Amino acid sequence: MKKKNSRARVVAAVAIAVVLSLIFCFPLVWMVMQSFQTDSQAIFELPPKLPERMDFSSYKFVFGYWNVLQLYINTLTIVIGVGALTLMASILVGYGFARIEAPGKKLMFSILLASSMLPAVVTLIPSYAIWARLGLLGTYVPLIIPSIGGGAFNIFLVRMFIMGIPRSLDESAEMDGASRLKTLLLVIVPQLGPVLATIMLFTFIGVWGDYVAPSLYLWGYTNKYTLSIMLASSFKSEFGVMDWPKVMAGCMIVSLPVIVVIFAFQNAFVRGIVTSGIKD
Amino acid sequence: MSRTISEIRAEVNGAEPKKRAMSRRKKDTVSFYLYILPFILGFSLFTLVPMGFSLFFSFHKIGLNTYVDESYTFYGFQNYVRVFTDNNYFLLALRNTFTFAIFRNVFCVVIAMLLALLFNCKMPCKKLFRTFIYIPGVLPIVGAAIIWRQLFDGRASLISWALSGVGITVDPNWWLGNGGLVSALIMSVFMGIGQTMTMFLAALQGVPTAQLEAADIDGADAFTKFFRITLPSISPTMFYVVMTGIISSLQAYAEVELLVGSLAKNSMTISYLVMYYYKQNMIGLGYSSAIAWLLFLIIGACSFFVFKYSKKMVFFADGGTL
């Protein structure tokens, strides 16, 4: 009797989960569906109708209209630049906070905590003014260099992970006469694999979808645009608001890498979200 | 305090341990600050310096239209006074921002909690379902906003159509018009649920099963168990979620700009207002900096109060604090 009851509960739970998944993925499904629509007016018909056949003409148009390869290269350049700086900084700073005792450490840690809560909009405009004065608009410098700080979230991740590594490992390396930096690079970093994957993944998602900063620094420099900025600017002007299948095809081209990467690295993603909540 | 290898080695070698320990500590201090130097640099150059400039701008009237040749006239608190007296945009944006932040987090936390409780049950393909739920939240915001804009679009609002199916009539033109804030709220909640749920799911693993079983034996119902045992033991996560959620939604900009944009003036948020004045012309630099600093002060005050009272609201099993 009890077994039957619990099986019924599992079936009910799965049924709810399926419905929820459908609801949550609906915008995605809608995007895919509309990007294959032949008739650009079909989107304005209710009830919505399915595309009659898989029609790739919207994609052809967007590939002809955008220099898609260039856009991917641009976006990846920023991802790699930001990623490299972020990894380097968060390893060093995370190690410092996890392993070295020094006066003022508590204060520095509180500053780190607080820095993650400052509203970006306060710094955004003066930063723009400074970069403009340095003549660096339309370059990736303002988008990449500020990640030298590593980011509070990433530093927390690395720090937590290092605190979980037994100190005896460091000490045996020290016994062999290794310096601090050597110990960090040869003993600790090789064990940081999962956490570094998480940081790379979040950097990728963040940079790929970033809108506010690139739209300020790159606006007007069309050949420097990232995918997101190109999509936003095309949507605002050139495609014409009416041509939804083309806009949706553009959305697909921008979003697909993120969807693929998320499915491929689910564990790294979940680890990142989960550990972000633990800040002891 | 555990002694380090070199201290022990120093003792064995017969050196004065105290002196060696002192120099060791000095060395540690130097290396600590060397290791965290990237953070110090990043924080001072890209946070403190711009904030200083922002504060400077907010007290000045900026004369010319370029960055090469502008003139600054000290303006006192005039920019701040003008924010409140020129028009009612700031107060409107303030109201919108708080409405957005509060409702976004209430809906997000409640729905995410319900979903986390559902997925905490035994069921097949759990991971896959979880991925489906958080995937809309990681889409590039530009893409997501475009899709949602189409779903709301008054010429054929799929959402109005779907709602009319269950007997709710909403004017299709309302979503991207007067209802812009509600639309941004719906999109933001939808995108935020996945991450929040994932955090709750992890926290639920830490709920003491022994207590739940004891409550079962005592005949407690599901509600009592949830509010007396589950909720208190996940309250640190809950606190973190609400705290970061409110801080980030007080800064809401991209959602509103991309979804409703200039279509609806009465759905603007403070960040939107800052960017709006700034983009209009660069003379707005002082004015928009004043608004940005007001936002900063508001967020600072909120964080201060929340942290001050967090000890009363959050239950830490080990008696620790955040």
Side-chain angles (χ1 to χ4, degrees):
Chain A
M1 183 64 199
K2 185 144 195 214
K3 207 176 173 190
K4 210 174 171 186
N5 190 13
S6 77
R7 183 177 291 168
R9 274 179 68 172
V10 169
V11 171
V14 169
I16 299 174
V18 169
V19 173
L20 285 170
S21 305
L22 287 176
I23 294 176
F24 273 84
C25 284
F26 178 74
L28 274 181
V29 175
W30 183 252
M31 165 177 78
V32 176
M33 214 174 89
Q34 296 304 333
S35 70
F36 288 119
Q37 196 74 265
T38 26
D39 173 8
S40 67
Q41 293 306 306
I43 212 161
F44 298 115
E45 281 167 32
L46 288 174
K49 68 176 190 193
L50 284 165
E52 283 155 25
R53 57 193 166 81
M54 293 272 274
D55 182 79
F56 284 92
S57 62
S58 304
Y59 287 90
K60 264 188 208 145
F61 173 85
V62 178
F63 271 96
Y65 193 79
W66 288 356
N67 188 349
V68 176
L69 184 67
Q70 182 71 50
L71 289 172
Y72 271 97
I73 292 174
N74 289 352
T75 315
L76 280 174
T77 308
I78 306 179
V79 169
I80 291 168
V82 172
L85 274 184
T86 305
L87 283 184
M88 199 190 71
S90 47
I91 290 173
L92 289 175
V93 180
Y95 174 82
F97 277 116
R99 280 292 200 256
I100 312 175
E101 293 306 320
K105 183 172 160 179
K106 261 202 158 153
L107 175 71
M108 295 314 288
F109 196 68
S110 326
I111 295 178
L112 183 68
L113 251 177
S115 73
S116 62
M117 294 171 191
L118 290 174
V121 75
V122 182
T123 55
L124 200 61
I125 287 167
S127 302
Y128 177 83
I130 296 167
W131 289 116
R133 194 176 268 247
L134 294 173
L136 289 168
L137 294 186
T139 71
Y140 298 143
V141 175
L143 296 171
I144 294 177
I145 295 299
S147 48
I148 182 117
F153 166 75
N154 303 315
I155 295 172
F156 284 129
L157 276 180
V158 174
R159 170 180 167 270
M160 279 223 353
F161 208 84
I162 292 182
M163 291 200 310
I165 300 172
R167 255 177 205 268
S168 54
L169 280 177
D170 302 30
E171 289 181 348
S172 62
E174 224 176 291
M175 196 90 102
D176 294 340
S179 67
R180 235 187 234 293
L181 192 65
K182 225 172 175 181
T183 312
L184 171 62
L185 291 179
L186 298 178
V187 180
I188 301 213
V189 171
Q191 303 192 49
L192 291 179
V195 82
L196 299 188
T198 302
I199 292 177
M200 264 325 274
L201 179 67
F202 275 81
T203 307
F204 170 79
I205 296 173
V207 173
W208 202 269
D210 196 9
Y211 166 72
V212 182
S215 74
L216 267 182
Y217 296 128
L218 303 178
W219 205 258
Y221 299 88
T222 328
N223 57 344
K224 295 282 183 183
Y225 275 11
T226 63
L227 281 157
S228 281
I229 302 308
M230 192 47 130
L231 181 60
S233 77
S234 305
F235 174 66
K236 274 182 180 158
S237 55
E238 294 130 348
F239 279 173
V241 185
M242 301 298 284
D243 217 343
W244 282 104
K246 293 188 176 96
V247 176
M248 291 294 180
C251 283
M252 269 295 279
I253 293 169
V254 177
S255 310
L256 200 60
V258 176
I259 298 171
V260 171
V261 165
I262 276 291
F263 265 102
F265 298 99
Q266 287 182 42
N267 290 335
F269 183 71
V270 170
R271 191 182 319 115
I273 297 180
V274 169
T275 23
S276 73
I278 315 165
K279 287 207 174 154
D280 85 36
Chain B
M1 280 292 277
S2 64
R3 292 182 305 173
T4 57
I5 303 285
S6 56
E7 275 167 4
I8 298 170
R9 198 182 286 154
E11 261 177 76
V12 172
N13 291 343
E16 283 166 80
K18 236 184 183 170
K19 217 173 184 181
R20 293 298 292 255
M22 273 295 283
S23 75
R24 169 83 195 186
R25 200 196 276 163
K26 243 180 214 163
K27 235 173 118 185
D28 270 1
T29 307
V30 173
S31 43
F32 172 72
Y33 284 98
L34 276 179
Y35 274 94
I36 68 162
L37 190 64
F39 165 67
I40 297 176
L41 274 179
F43 180 69
S44 29
L45 286 179
F46 303 111
T47 304
L48 286 186
V49 169
M51 278 179 73
F53 270 94
S54 179
L55 192 62
F56 173 83
F57 291 152
S58 75
F59 285 109
H60 285 78
K61 191 176 184 174
I62 289 126
L64 267 175
N65 208 355
T66 64
Y67 283 111
V68 191
D69 199 23
E70 65 272 86
S71 69
Y72 301 100
T73 334
F74 185 69
Y75 209 32
F77 280 94
Q78 276 305 301
N79 281 324
Y80 290 89
V81 172
R82 278 182 51 212
V83 167
F84 288 97
T85 50
D86 270 11
N87 48 43
N88 60 358
Y89 286 169
F90 180 75
L91 293 175
L92 179 70
L94 192 65
R95 202 191 67 194
N96 284 344
T97 306
F98 271 92
T99 314
F100 182 84
I102 290 166
F103 280 98
R104 183 204 178 269
N105 286 287
V106 167
F107 282 120
C108 209
V109 164
V110 171
I111 299 173
M113 194 69 236
L114 289 174
L115 294 188
L117 288 172
L118 170 75
F119 284 108
N120 203 34
C121 303
K122 274 198 187 106
M123 70 163 83
C125 307
K126 216 189 250 186
K127 270 189 166 177
L128 188 68
F129 288 132
R130 192 186 56 190
T131 309
F132 280 137
I133 303 230
Y134 66 60
I135 242 178
V138 292
L139 283 189
I141 182 76
V142 180
I146 289 173
I147 300 170
W148 281 93
R149 193 168 168 139
Q150 207 282 313
L151 293 175
F152 284 122
D153 192 315
R155 279 162 294 185
S157 170
L158 199 69
I159 294 181
S160 276
W161 179 75
L163 282 177
S164 70
V166 290
I168 305 167
T169 331
V170 183
D171 174 12
N173 289 312
W174 180 77
W175 298 108
L176 298 180
N178 287 331
L181 197 67
V182 177
S183 309
L185 190 69
I186 292 174
M187 181 177 87
S188 182
V189 169
F190 199 88
M191 290 180 77
I193 284 175
Q195 296 210 0
T196 315
M197 179 196 74
T198 312
M199 288 183 67
F200 284 155
L201 260 176
L204 285 176
Q205 308 303 312
V207 175
T209 40
Q211 288 184 23
L212 288 175
E213 279 160 14
D216 261 338
I217 293 166
D218 289 347
D221 57 33
F223 274 99
T224 319
K225 278 194 293 182
F226 177 74
F227 284 106
R228 292 289 171 81
I229 301 170
T230 310
L231 202 55
S233 64
I234 64 164
S235 60
T237 304
M238 183 70 92
F239 174 74
Y240 174 79
V241 166
V242 173
M243 179 75 199
T244 49
I246 286 185
I247 289 175
S248 71
S249 38
L250 283 178
Q251 303 177 46
Y253 168 69
E255 293 99 321
V256 180
E257 212 255 6
L258 288 165
L259 189 66
V260 238
S262 52
L263 293 175
K265 250 195 180 138
N266 53 4
S267 60
M268 65 177 129
T269 59
I270 296 183
S271 293
Y272 182 83
L273 197 63
V274 173
M275 299 298 279
Y276 170 78
Y277 277 114
Y278 178 64
K279 279 181 175 167
Q280 261 193 340
N281 54 26
M282 285 163 190
I283 300 171
L285 193 59
Y287 195 73
S288 60
S289 296
I291 303 177
W293 263 86
L294 286 170
L295 176 65
F296 172 62
L297 293 177
I298 291 166
I299 290 181
C302 290
S303 317
F304 177 77
F305 277 108
V306 171
F307 271 111
K308 200 174 168 193
Y309 293 105
S310 67
K311 276 179 197 154
K312 285 183 191 161
M313 298 186 290
V314 182
F315 170 79
F316 289 97
D318 55 358
T321 52
L322 214 62

